[in-house]
């Protein structure tokens, strides 16, 4: 197995964007391969032992990728599935992305049996890690921490949530809210089309900024994440909002400090959320050794599976070799029977001796090139038992 890897550790998002492949073109170019692409990584996964085996590899600028081989590559994909290689340790999204990449390769008929075994085992390992450890517990992005804080303070079930903004941070909030049983979501943004697109993800509604005061009175929880250069929420704008939790995750801030003077408004800023996120991240990092033990166990299991597959392939090829030899010798025997008046018993006896000699000769040649004495000892012991 070989992986060509480029990720957030080496490139920023815009640089990674330039390394991305068109899926259709990738699968036209390569066989026995999987393309894994996210906003934080581009990984080309091949069932090959060397780059020379990969047809079409000359079309890739290899200098832009880190190259992992064999066991190192397999362990890496297990770590990816478990979220240990993610920017946010233990995040769940990568597992779904790996599943989708696998299904796309399978749909295209581009995945080998060996590669399928490895990826399915990696996915299983990622699932185990999330069930048996706390590697994915607690929000560690500012967006997920905002949702977690709102849930702890006020509860989210049956609540009306107003999200102000529709950029990257707001998208993280929406992802975190998807798992919650909220009553309604309203997305407000200066560009209505962006608000509408984001609202659709949760079956919510989008509004323009001119409806913001009305939405503030309706909302139980307000999460503000705009890119505005100046505050958009102040004491005057919120004086009639009623009991409301406001979480400001914008930078620069969307809120003014005078909001805290309102008795029914509970304001939290990005500084409060950093403490939540950092504490959750520490807890996740404490779980990493537990996940690595699961990975070690599953890698041992996978090695047994791959060794068995390798043995089965050798047996299959050996069986094909015997069959081809049998056909050749049968043809010779039939010609002798047709052209010469030899007894059938004699022809069959000569046929069987000739075939055995060829098999023994070829097997000896094979074992002459193997230096492992243990193989000979096992073979000798097995033959002795069979003959006895």
């Amino acid at each position: 197995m070989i992986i060509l890897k480029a990720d957030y550790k080496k490139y920023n998002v815009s640089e990674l964007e330039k390394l991305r492949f068109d899926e259709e073109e990738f699968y036209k170019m390569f066989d026995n391969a999987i393309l894994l692409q996210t906003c934080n990584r581009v990984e080309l996964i091949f069932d090959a032992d060397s780059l020379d085996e990969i047809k079409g590899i000359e079309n890739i600028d290899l200098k832009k990728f880190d190259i992992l081989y064999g066991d190192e590559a397999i362990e890496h994909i297990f770590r990816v599935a478990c979220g240990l290689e993610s920017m946010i340790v233990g995040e769940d999204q990568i597992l779904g992305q790996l599943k989708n990449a696998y299904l796309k390769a399978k749909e295209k008929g581009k995945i080998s049996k060996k590669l399928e075994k490895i990826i399915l085992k990696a996915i299983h390992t990622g699932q185990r890690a999330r069930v048996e450890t706390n590697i994915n517990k607690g929000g560690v992005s500012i967006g997920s921490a905002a949702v977690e804080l709102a849930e702890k303070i006020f509860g989210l079930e049956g609540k009306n949530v107003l999200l102000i903004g529709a950029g990257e941070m707001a998208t993280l909030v929406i992802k975190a809210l998807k798992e919650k049983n909220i009553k309604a979501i309203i997305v407000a943004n200066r560009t209505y089309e962006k608000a509408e697109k984001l609202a659709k993800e949760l079956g919510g509604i989008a509004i323009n900024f001119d409806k913001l005061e009305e939405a503030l009175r309706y909302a139980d929880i307000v999460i503000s994440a705009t890119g505005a250069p100046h505050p958009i929420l102040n004491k005057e704008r919120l004086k009639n909002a009623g009991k409301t939790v406001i979480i400001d995750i914008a930078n620069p801030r969307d809120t003014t400090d005078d909001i805290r003077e309102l008795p029914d408004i509970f304001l939290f800023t990005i500084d409060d959320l950093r403490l939540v996120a950092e504490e959750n991240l520490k807890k996740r990092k404490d779980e990493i050794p537990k996940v690595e033990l699961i990975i070690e166990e599953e890698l041992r299991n996978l090695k047994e599976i791959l060794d068995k597959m390798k043995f089965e392939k050798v047996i299959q090829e050996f069986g094909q070799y015997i069959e081809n030899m049998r056909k050749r010798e049968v043809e010779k025997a039939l010609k002798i029977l047709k052209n010469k008046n030899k007894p059938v018993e004699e022809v069959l006896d000569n046929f069987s001796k000739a075939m055995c000699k060829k098999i023994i000769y070829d097997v000896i040649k094979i074992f002459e090139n193997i230096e492992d004495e243990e193989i000979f000892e096992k073979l000798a012991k097995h033959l002795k038992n069979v003959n006895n």
Side-chain angles (χ1 to χ4, degrees), residues 201-352:
E201 290 196 38
L202 280 175
I205 61 171
I207 61 169
N208 285 312
F209 259 37
D210 58 2
K211 300 284 187 183
L212 194 55
E213 272 76 10
E214 184 181 337
L216 286 168
R217 289 194 297 271
Y218 176 76
D220 301 304
I221 298 165
V222 177
I223 301 176
S224 195
T226 77
H230 49 75
I232 59 170
L233 298 176
N234 54 34
K235 182 179 178 181
E236 179 63 25
R237 202 166 204 176
L238 288 162
K239 65 183 181 182
N240 297 317
K243 188 177 180 181
T244 310
V245 172
I246 296 178
I247 301 176
D248 182 0
I249 58 176
N251 187 16
R253 283 175 55 181
D254 281 340
T255 55
T256 57
D257 282 331
D258 61 357
I259 290 171
R260 299 183 191 276
E261 298 172 11
L262 297 169
D264 290 334
I265 302 295
F266 303 87
L267 174 62
F268 298 90
T269 67
I270 202 165
D271 292 327
D272 301 308
L273 298 172
R274 282 199 182 101
L275 294 174
V276 175
E278 286 169 7
E279 182 59 30
N280 286 339
L281 182 58
K282 183 181 180 300
K283 289 177 182 176
R284 287 192 182 194
K285 285 183 174 177
D286 289 342
E287 294 294 297
I288 289 176
K290 297 176 188 176
V291 175
E292 289 177 334
L293 286 175
I294 292 173
I295 290 173
E296 286 178 20
E297 180 186 332
E298 292 294 348
L299 283 172
R300 287 195 296 271
N301 293 341
L302 177 65
K303 187 178 185 306
E304 291 177 6
I305 292 169
L306 295 182
D307 285 346
K308 186 178 179 182
M309 283 178 63
K310 195 186 298 182
F311 179 74
E312 288 173 351
K313 186 177 180 182
V314 170
I315 294 300
Q316 186 179 17
E317 289 175 351
F318 188 68
Q320 188 60 53
Y321 151 76
I322 296 291
E323 176 62 16
N324 292 338
M325 182 185 294
R326 184 192 70 80
K327 286 179 179 178
R328 289 194 300 270
E329 293 303 318
V330 165
E331 286 178 8
K332 289 180 186 178
L334 289 173
K335 284 180 182 178
I336 292 170
L337 286 171
K338 287 179 181 178
N339 300 326
K340 297 180 181 179
N341 294 323
K342 285 189 176 183
V344 173
E345 292 82 0
E346 183 183 341
V347 173
L348 287 175
D349 188 54
N350 291 336
F351 157 74
S352 62

Side-chain angles (χ1 to χ4, degrees), residues 18 25 28 38 58 60 68 73 110 129 140 168 179 250 282 292 297 316 319 370 373 379:
K18 294 173 185 175
E25 291 302 317
K28 283 179 184 176
T38 73
E58 65 278 1
I60 296 176
L68 308 178
K110 295 292 185 172
V140 295
E168 184 178 346
E179 302 171 7
K282 183 181 180 300
E292 289 177 334
E297 180 186 332
Q316 186 179 17
I370 297 176
E373 293 182 7
L379 180 64

Side-chain angles (χ1 to χ4, degrees), residues 3-64:
I3 295 178
L4 273 58
K5 173 176 78 78
D7 61 21
Y8 69 93
K9 297 174 186 176
K10 191 172 181 178
Y11 298 103
N12 61 38
V13 174
S14 59
E15 289 170 332
L16 281 173
E17 189 66 30
K18 294 173 185 175
L19 294 176
R20 290 174 68 87
F21 287 80
D22 177 272
E23 270 193 351
E24 295 299 321
E25 291 302 317
F26 177 85
Y27 286 115
K28 283 179 184 176
M29 194 185 308
F30 297 110
D31 292 316
N32 299 328
I34 295 177
L35 177 64
L36 175 62
Q37 295 186 137
T38 73
C39 58
N40 286 323
R41 70 180 64 252
V42 175
E43 300 199 4
L44 286 56
I45 307 167
F46 298 101
D47 179 5
D49 295 321
S50 70
L51 292 173
D52 294 338
E53 294 178 25
I54 305 172
K55 185 180 177 183
I57 198 70
E58 65 278 1
N59 298 315
I60 296 176
D61 186 353
L62 297 177
K63 296 192 295 294
K64 293 182 178 178

